Amino acid sequence: MYSDHDEVAAGARERLLAVMREMGLVDESLSDEVFLERTEQPLTVLGRLGKLADIMSTARNIAARLGVGFIDLRDVGQQDKWEIKEFTRIFDSALCWRRKFVPLWSTDTTVYVVFANPMDYDAMEKVKFLTGKAVTALLGLESEIESLLNRHYPRTDFSNDECPANVEVLGESEEEYDVGKNSNPPIIKMVNKIISDAYTARASDIHLEPTQYSLDVRFRIDGVMHFVTDVPKRLQSYLLSRVKIMAGLDIAERRKPQDGRIRVRVNNSSLDLRVSTVPASYGEKIVMRLLIGEDGIMTLSSLGVPELARKRFERVLKQKGKMLLVTGPTGSGKTTTLYAAIHTIRDGSKNIETVEDPIELRIAGVNQIQVNEDAGVTFSSALRSILRQDPDVIMIGEIRDEETGRIALQAAQTGHLVLSTLHTNDALSAVTRLQHLGLEPYIIASSVAGIMAQRLVRRLCPHCRQHLEEGEIVHWQDVPVLKGVDLSKTFRPAGCAHCSYSGYYGRVGIYSYLDICDDVASAIARGESETELKKIAIDRGFVTIEAAALEVLSAGLTSLEEVGPYLKGPSGVSVTTGLMAIAEAADNISEEVTQPLAVIESSALRACISSSDTSLSKSIGKSRLLLVEDDQNVRDVYRLLFEREMFAVETAVNGLDGLEKVFASPPDIVVCDLMMPVMDGREFLQRMRSRPGTENIPVIFLTAVNTERNEIDLLSLGASDFVAKDASPKILISRVLRLLK
């Protein structure tokens, strides 16, 4: 991953390669240069070249040949004896990364170290010198070692010659951008390395986040944020200025948000980066969104739109005088779907005009207009101008107000095909949204031909996905919305080298298409309620978001953990938590309710909270508790529960929010959800434990699925306790009180 110019380390790679040749693992057609010119160890290179059927078995054979032990770093049974944190005070991050080793545990006389190359004798001597103990070398997979290094030894030594030169910054004319005049070479290499790593990791966004002590670099991969490294604070201004220069922004302006664009070539692939800066408390925060090139535009079929919905959608694309809407929250892939639609109809015979904010992707043969409100270019004003440009197809980035919506509908009525987006939860809500904007139902009914609602969920890694365990099937089988699903044929994430041990690789869409047929159009024109519209639409073949989510689950493409938020129970609340909405307070409820919080109805839930025994909590005073939970319903339930138990409760909506509150004012105890957006519970715990002053705060984790694997994993990361969301309230309270005592 990071090239090593140390001749001694290069000699170690040569020794290992020689052994592999003796074992017959390396084809004679592969020269030494193929291995030595790369940054990884020979075993990893052989795996990347597709020359190994099973890299784990090969590694075991190499370890046996060398007379050293092999260790599977994913084996949680091995992790009980690890003392990695103790060694972080001794070993420099740069050394561990350059030589790819991690000290795991030690005895009075020996330290056990996992190496990507057990023939790196110089590195062993350094370990022996720094610890004063004999070294027992173990062989581990390089990818697993890097995963440990990312967790315990974050890189801070970017300003060296180890960054690759496979990133070109391009101007609009595709000529190479001259970067040497604007920044120092180490900073150039640092930024190039960040972009290159993000591209390799399939990241959709790069976040450069200033903190009090460093500049954090995080990637959003498959919709989830991942901490990558922290850059020293002294380099912050140089790195941010370098990015702003590349994006053509004013480096002297640090008090106002700015937007720009960078065009790069990474590994011979063109890539656009949309750059956004905002002033924050510790300096400017920069987010770079990685955008696919025109050659990477996907079709509706490759996006995974179900065949029936795709055919209906494409049928409307062939019509004139109609509107197609795509709905969903931010980040659900609406713009990608619109680009796929344009790609479908872009044949050179049509005048296609778009109004976007911002332009995500420049498409040849399409006239694209960037919204610029400072210059008076809004969606509505640009749309009026477009109508005088003889368009056949009009794409509007978003309908935000009545004026834009009215002009768009009028454009559809006058013979244009109009494509646009709305921010609503489902397809039927789009009709209600247009009505709330002030648009007449009869105009909506006659103009809108179809509405696509969509979501994106993480796709299970096909190399390591596993069937649900028997206990998990029992846990979910009584959930009403899952009654028709054969849970024995569904899968859960496991983790392997292909998916960086996340269990997921890429994302898959959940699509719900509402075809505005004659019956549905008539109901809209009559002003029928959303409930009545849904009944009529389902009778005509409408597939709801919930049903579409179950289809993706049943196909083995994703997990219950991912589709859970879109599977609604009888009261309309997602089954991932199973919590019904909190009704108004009720008095005189029985104390005998002991059902789990995760399956309790509203009245019973009030009973649990109202009747909790507060005698124990009174004995410890009013302790400060931080509750970190992304689901508002769950957050409200637990907050009320803990307040009834005499706690002073502060809440956070995700791990990053919780981290800021912990550092600002450390609580007495933390109760934290495991799976959350922005920053999940695992990363929250690791960051909190690494900071002096907060490393010893008790943390109890809540999770939807109670498995031994989850519990071992969390406890090994430093969690104080573990409670399933289907546990009774009394169990949770007793665990909290036990830790505080």
Side-chain angles (χ1 to χ4, degrees):
M1 177 172 165
Y2 300 91
S3 59
D4 193 339
H5 297 298
D6 185 341
E7 293 182 2
V8 178
R13 290 203 300 274
E14 291 177 356
R15 287 193 293 273
L16 181 58
L17 178 59
V19 171
M20 292 171 62
R21 285 194 182 280
E22 290 175 7
M23 296 175 65
L25 297 174
V26 180
D27 195 309
E28 291 297 329
S29 63
L30 296 175
S31 65
D32 288 359
E33 286 71 21
V34 172
F35 295 89
L36 300 180
E37 69 184 8
R38 298 188 180 229
T39 58
E40 300 99 338
Q41 293 294 335
L43 178 61
T44 304
V45 174
L46 207 60
R48 292 193 187 280
L49 293 175
K51 301 294 185 179
L52 297 177
D54 187 343
I55 192 171
M56 187 78 74
S57 298
T58 304
R60 292 181 187 277
N61 293 336
I62 293 174
R65 178 65 173 264
L66 297 177
V68 301
F70 174 80
I71 183 168
D72 182 354
L73 297 176
R74 296 172 301 166
D75 184 358
V76 293
Q78 298 266 0
Q79 297 173 10
D80 291 340
K81 56 186 176 183
W82 291 2
E83 303 167 342
I84 299 178
K85 188 176 180 180
E86 300 299 320
F87 295 108
T88 58
R89 303 185 183 94
I90 303 173
F91 291 92
D92 178 61
S93 170
L95 173 64
C96 295
W97 271 103
R98 282 198 302 270
R99 311 304 276 272
K100 296 293 176 62
F101 70 84
V102 178
L104 296 177
W105 75 91
S106 66
T107 63
D108 292 340
T109 59
T110 306
V111 57
Y112 292 80
V113 183
V114 58
F115 287 88
N117 184 349
M119 303 190 78
D120 192 343
Y121 305 128
D122 181 72
M124 292 183 196
E125 287 299 317
K126 286 180 168 59
V127 174
K128 182 177 180 181
F129 174 78
L130 291 170
T131 60
K133 297 181 179 181
V135 177
T136 295
L138 305 169
L139 173 61
L141 294 184
E142 189 168 3
S143 59
E144 296 177 4
I145 291 174
E146 288 181 352
S147 179
L148 278 183
L149 288 171
N150 270 319
R151 188 183 308 168
H152 299 283
Y153 294 89
R155 286 186 62 87
T156 58
D157 62 333
F158 283 104
S159 54
N160 51 39
D161 294 328
E162 297 186 356
C163 296
N166 60 345
V167 177
E168 287 183 74
V169 183
L170 304 172
E172 290 299 314
S173 61
E174 295 289 336
E175 295 177 357
E176 185 173 356
Y177 187 85
D178 185 2
V179 296
K181 299 176 182 178
N182 298 294
S183 303
N184 292 325
I187 297 298
I188 295 174
K189 293 176 181 178
M190 184 189 304
V191 175
N192 287 354
K193 178 61 180 170
I194 291 171
I195 294 173
S196 175
D197 282 358
Y199 176 80
T200 303
R202 303 175 296 104
S204 61
D205 300 87
I206 302 169
H207 289 245
L208 306 177
E209 302 175 343
T211 68
Q212 185 175 359
Y213 305 104
S214 65
L215 177 71
D216 285 0
V217 180
R218 299 202 295 162
F219 295 164
R220 185 180 294 279
I221 304 171
D222 297 336
V224 179
M225 294 290 285
H226 296 268
F227 175 79
V228 178
T229 189
D230 51 352
V231 176
K233 193 71 174 178
R234 59 186 170 81
L235 300 178
Q236 174 178 308
S237 62
Y238 300 105
L239 188 146
L240 297 182
S241 294
R242 168 63 188 149
V243 173
K244 292 173 71 174
I245 288 172
M246 294 166 68
L249 303 179
D250 183 357
I251 62 173
E253 180 56 75
R254 300 177 181 176
R255 297 172 297 175
K256 295 180 181 179
Q258 297 187 70
D259 294 297
R261 224 176 165 87
I262 302 172
R263 302 189 71 196
V264 298
R265 183 178 289 117
V266 183
N267 296 333
N268 297 319
S269 298
S270 295
L271 187 68
D272 279 5
L273 287 84
R274 194 183 77 207
V275 181
S276 172
T277 75
V278 294
S281 55
Y282 294 111
E284 284 183 289
K285 176 184 176 181
I286 293 183
V287 176
M288 293 180 277
R289 170 154 291 186
L290 283 67
L291 305 173
I292 58 173
E294 184 178 348
D295 293 339
I297 297 178
M298 303 180 74
T299 63
L300 292 170
S301 178
S302 62
L303 285 176
V305 179
E307 184 178 3
L308 179 59
R310 177 174 54 81
K311 287 182 177 179
R312 290 177 173 178
F313 194 92
E314 290 177 343
R315 185 180 66 220
V316 178
L317 290 176
K318 298 176 182 178
Q319 300 179 20
K320 294 183 178 180
K322 290 296 182 181
M323 175 185 280
L324 268 172
L325 293 173
V326 181
T327 74
T330 300
S332 59
K334 299 187 297 296
T335 303
T336 301
T337 299
L338 289 183
Y339 281 149
I342 288 177
H343 182 67
T344 301
I345 59 179
R346 185 188 54 162
D347 57 6
S349 66
K350 300 178 180 66
N351 177 19
I352 304 175
E353 307 266 355
T354 75
V355 188
E356 304 175 59
D357 184 23
I359 297 174
E360 297 278 2
L361 176 65
R362 292 182 173 89
I363 309 174
V366 177
N367 305 292
Q368 297 171 273
I369 299 174
Q370 170 70 55
V371 168
N372 185 349
E373 295 188 359
D374 292 338
V377 182
T378 63
F379 279 112
S380 56
S381 66
L383 190 51
R384 281 193 295 268
S385 299
I386 280 177
L387 290 173
R388 295 190 287 271
Q389 294 285 313
D390 185 32
D392 295 297
V393 181
I394 301 172
M395 185 188 112
I396 308 166
E398 182 186 350
I399 295 177
R400 298 177 179 175
D401 51 51
E402 179 183 357
E403 184 179 11
T404 304
R406 191 169 296 281
I407 298 173
L409 289 176
Q410 289 172 354
Q413 289 181 316
T414 53
H416 306 89
L417 175 62
V418 180
L419 312 175
S420 190
T421 71
L422 277 174
H423 284 286
T424 61
N425 288 327
D426 54 42
L428 290 164
S429 299
V431 176
T432 306
R433 171 67 174 155
L434 291 175
Q435 292 175 351
H436 286 170
L437 288 176
L439 303 175
E440 294 78 5
Y442 71 90
I443 296 179
I444 299 171
S446 63
S447 303
V448 180
I451 305 172
M452 178 82 82
Q454 62 184 68
R455 301 289 189 276
L456 286 177
V457 294
R458 289 184 293 173
R459 183 190 294 268
L460 284 167
C461 174
H463 296 92
C464 64
R465 65 178 186 174
Q466 297 177 353
H467 284 284
L468 291 184
E469 296 175 355
E470 187 63 34
E472 293 172 305
I473 294 175
V474 172
H475 175 84
W476 290 108
Q477 65 186 5
D478 292 329
V479 177
V481 75
L482 298 175
K483 285 293 186 181
V485 178
D486 185 353
L487 294 175
S488 66
K489 296 182 179 179
T490 60
F491 297 85
R492 61 177 176 83
C496 66
H498 290 89
C499 59
S500 299
Y501 303 100
S502 68
Y504 298 95
Y505 191 93
R507 290 195 284 180
V508 61
I510 298 174
Y511 298 95
S512 168
Y513 183 72
L514 175 63
D515 187 31
I516 310 296
C517 60
D518 291 342
D519 292 339
V520 174
S522 298
I524 294 173
R526 293 194 305 269
E528 296 285 2
S529 67
E530 197 171 305
T531 301
E532 187 61 30
L533 281 176
K534 185 175 182 179
K535 292 179 181 178
I536 296 172
I538 289 177
D539 288 341
R540 304 302 183 274
F542 172 57
V543 177
T544 64
I545 279 286
E546 291 87 351
L550 287 175
E551 289 179 3
V552 174
L553 174 68
S554 300
L557 299 176
T558 192
S559 65
L560 268 167
E561 179 181 68
E562 288 293 298
V563 302
Y566 313 118
L567 306 180
K568 308 297 182 182
S571 299
V573 179
S574 62
V575 301
T576 41
T577 61
L579 292 167
M580 303 304 171
I582 304 176
E584 296 180 358
D587 299 324
N588 303 318
I589 306 293
S590 167
E591 185 178 341
E592 297 304 316
V593 179
T594 58
Q595 290 175 272
L597 281 177
V599 295
I600 269 174
E601 295 290 343
S602 297
S603 59
L605 176 60
R606 294 196 305 273
C608 265
I609 296 174
S610 299
S611 64
S612 297
D613 182 5
T614 61
S615 58
L616 287 175
S617 58
K618 288 177 182 177
S619 67
I620 62 172
K622 198 154 188 173
S623 299
R624 294 180 58 250
L625 181 146
L626 175 64
L627 173 62
V628 187
E629 167 64 61
D630 63 306
D631 190 302
Q632 182 176 350
N633 286 332
V634 183
R635 197 165 58 245
D636 289 342
V637 168
Y638 283 119
R639 177 186 55 77
L640 187 54
L641 173 66
F642 289 125
E643 285 178 346
R644 297 279 180 147
E645 292 291 331
M646 304 301 292
F647 287 99
V649 181
E650 186 174 12
T651 61
V653 297
N654 54 55
L656 183 59
D657 184 26
L659 208 59
E660 292 175 352
K661 291 178 178 178
V662 166
F663 291 159
S665 179
D668 297 309
I669 192 168
V670 176
V671 176
C672 183
D673 190 16
L674 178 58
M675 299 304 299
M676 296 179 290
V678 184
M679 180 187 290
D680 64 14
R682 288 184 174 87
E683 185 177 347
F684 164 80
L685 179 64
Q686 291 166 2
R687 301 285 290 276
M688 196 188 84
R689 289 282 186 252
S690 66
R691 185 68 63 88
T694 63
E695 71 270 32
N696 295 319
I697 297 175
V699 179
I700 294 182
F701 271 100
L702 301 168
T703 185
V705 180
N706 183 9
T707 65
E708 180 178 314
R709 183 172 62 89
N710 263 348
E711 185 169 356
I712 293 173
D713 184 28
L714 289 169
L715 294 177
S716 68
L717 290 175
S720 307
D721 210 338
F722 171 100
V723 177
K725 285 186 177 178
D726 60 357
S728 73
K730 289 187 176 180
I731 290 178
L732 176 59
I733 291 297
S734 66
R735 299 283 182 90
V736 171
L737 295 176
R738 178 181 64 82
L739 285 173
L740 286 174
K741 283 183 177 182

